[in-house]
Structure formats: structure tokens, C-alpha cells
Amino acid sequence: MTDLPDHLDLDESDVRVRPGRRGSRPRTKQRPAHSDAVDGFVTGVSRGRYDVLVPPPSRRRRDVERALERGEGETLVAVTARELGRGGVVVGDRVRVVGDLSGGRDALARIVGVVDRTSTLRRSSEDSPGGHERVLVANADQLVVVTALADPAPRPRMVDRCLVAAYDAGMDVLLCLTKADLASPEEFLALYDPLGVPAVVTRREDGHVVGVDELRERVAGRVSVLVGHSGVGKSTLVNALVPDAARAVGHVNAVTGRGRHTSTNAVALALPGGGWVIDTPGVRSFGLAHVEVEDVIGAFPDLAEITTACLPLCTHLPASPGCALDAALAAAPEGERAALGARVDSLRRLLLSRSDDLEGPR
Ligand SMILES: Nc1nc2c(ncn2[C@@H]2O[C@H](COP(=O)(O)OP(=O)(O)OP(=O)(O)O)[C@@H](O)[C@H]2O)c(=O)[nH]1
């Protein structure tokens, strides 16, 4: 009689997960149980079912990265192995899947592992400061904050909060100011100039949206999360960037978000030239109670350097006694004081938007 190796009897219930801040990586008692697992990219999550893009069979061993970056392959429906827990897999996650990979109507694949994340965009639950937080999107490298210059009026406070969330996640930020045909962008741009945040300005002209080309260049080949209030023109931009987005997500119209306004489920849409935009229909801002002061200051290396001279518990806010930022301002040469002052003010504005959350429910 031939002795079969034990590992052939293993399945995903044998996966051992080691959780951690930077995601979880599956540990199997004996790895060969999932030697047939293929790499995938999570594009959507709904009621415990995950849309997972897997490369075409010919590219599952080689060239996987390129296929997933370009959105090539087939989107499967998958569930997660029990050990991965609830909420353990989010849009943007790189996963390993096994099971029925045929993609047929009733086919169900199974996610057995999550690859270490390069970034996690998180939000605290807004009614429990300092409490529960959850990951919204994994592995994104850019947060595109979409805000209208008029109709609806811009909300710097919301933009500030998005910036803090992005810095916490280690993501780049891009401001996208829409509806410049209704109001000038100058004032708003000046507000963010000291922070060095890049901005793209779009406007409607003769029925077309001008400025989308620059946005397209800035999202090309990257994984960008789009966030913005209802009515700012986010859908218009997503439509321009991903012309067949509605088709790609089937019967649910992820572009307009119609019928899913109360949902905060993110949806990843492949850009025609490579890269992804992740639309976040119900996400308008971020609970920031989980964010550490250092994570915000870390995004401003010049100011971070100055704050090394502060007392250990310095909040760096305006009334903070002996804050080295104030000393640096007082000592700054006349010609540099205004620019440094603007930058310090901007940083303090961001720190304030975070400390608001620590004080109690809003
Ligand atoms: N004047 C002007 N109107 C615009 C511009 N971009 C979009 N709009 C209009 O603004 C309105 C809202 O645009 P949407 O793209 O639906 O905005 P949204 O942010 O996706 O809003 P929801 O669908 O409610 O989430 C629509 O009537 C658009 O035609 C622009 O650049 N200028």
C-alpha cells in the first residue's frame, strides 16, 4: 500500500494565522497543503463574499504582479478561511486563493492567506474615541481627496482629516479640486501650499471636464483611494478615469454608488493603462482617534527635526508650553519666518483635527 503524505489531507482549517499591525501571513503546519494556491487581488467585499481578481491561468506562476497591476484575469467570488477572522481581508489585499477557480456562476473560491500589507488606511469608529478602529483599504499608496470649490462649498476641516489619515497610513496625498468653473482655486490652494500637498484642478467646459488628463497621469500605475463628499464630482472623475467601471462591477453600479449610499464598502476599479482607483462611496472623512502624533509630524521632516527639542509630552499645539516650534519661529530669520509660520500653523491645524477625536464623541 502506498503511504500518502499527511499534508494531502490538510485544508485551510489547518492554516495558522499570526496577526499583526502590518497584516497577517498564513502559517501552515505543512505548506504543501496550499501549494496550488494562486495569487489574487481583492477588488470588492460584500456580506462576507470577496471579489478576487486572479491572473489568467497562463500567468499564475510567472508575471503575476504585472497581470494584477493591469487588472488582467478573472474576478472570482471567494469566502475566507475561518482562521482569517471577520474583517481580516479588505479591498486592496493581496491574497492566496484555493478551491474552485473556474469562475463559473456557482464557483466559490477560498482565501487561505493574506500577504503582508504595505499600507493600511484606517478609521476609528467615530463614536468611540480611542476605541475600535478598522482597516478600510490595504496596500494603497495614494489618497486622492476630492473636494469641490463650490456647490458644495469646500470643507478644509474634512480635507485636513483626510490628510492626517493618509499620513498615518504612510500614503501620499493628492488634492483634487473640482468645479473650478464655479469658483477660483487660489484661496484653497494657498491653504495647502505650506504643506507641499500636490493638487489637480478640474473644471467643466463645454460639457467636458478639463484637467482629468493630469489626474490620469498622477494615478497611472498606482493604487489610489478616492474619497470625497457626495456631490463633489467624484463619480464624474471615476467615470472619466475608468470608462467601463460600471460593466466591470456587474449589476452594482459602483461608479454612481446608487443604492449604496449608506455603504462604506470600497470598490477597486482597474485603470485602462495599469494601476487601480479605489472608490469609497460612503466614506467622507475619517475617525482619527487611533492616530499617533508622531505619525502626523513624521510627514513633515523639517518640523519633526525641530520638535526633537520639545519636552517628552509636548503636544506641539499652540498653547503647549515650551514647544520648540515656537522657539524656532521666534529665532527664524526675517525672510523665512512667514513660510515657517505657515507650515507650523498647517501642522497644528492637522494635529488639532486629530485631538478633537480624543476629547469625545462629536
Ligand atoms: N459646474 C461643474 N459641475 C460639475 C463638475 N463636475 C461634476 N459636476 C456636477 O456635479 C454634480 C455631482 O457630480 P457627481 O459626479 O455625481 O458627484 P459625486 O461626488 O459622485 O456625488 P454622489 O454621486 O452624490 O456621490 C453633477 O451634477 C455633475 O454634473 C464640474 O467640474 N463643474
Side-chain angles (χ1 to χ4, degrees), residues 233-248:
K234 186 156 65 76
S235 308
T236 305
L237 296 177
V238 173
N239 266 325
L241 293 172
V242 192
D244 62 351
R247 191 151 38 85

Side-chain angles (χ1 to χ4, degrees), residues 146 148 150-152 177-183 201-205 208-210 228-239 255-258 261 279-282 284:
V146 185
D151 186 29
L177 308 182
T178 62
K179 308 197 187 186
D181 51 305
L182 301 180
V201 179
T202 64
R203 66 177 194 279
R204 187 149 65 196
E205 200 177 285
H208 296 285
V209 184
V210 180
H229 272 273
S230 181
V232 295
K234 186 156 65 76
S235 308
T236 305
L237 296 177
V238 173
N239 266 325
V255 176
T256 62
R258 301 267 180 260
H261 280 286
D279 194 9
T280 53
R284 284 154 193 143

Side-chain angles (χ1 to χ4, degrees), residues 245-326:
R247 191 151 38 85
V249 294
H251 58 281
V252 177
N253 190 337
V255 176
T256 62
R258 301 267 180 260
R260 34 182 302 160
H261 280 286
T262 53
S263 158
T264 55
N265 288 350
V267 181
L269 306 163
L271 289 160
W276 293 84
V277 290
I278 299 180
D279 194 9
T280 53
V283 179
R284 284 154 193 143
S285 191
F286 297 89
L288 301 174
H290 63 281
V291 177
E292 302 289 338
V293 172
E294 288 68 30
D295 291 329
V296 182
I297 296 182
F300 306 90
D302 53 334
L303 303 185
E305 172 78 30
I306 297 171
T307 59
T308 55
C310 291
L311 294 169
L313 293 178
C314 183
T315 61
H316 314 302
L317 293 174
S320 184
C323 178
L325 291 172
D326 293 315

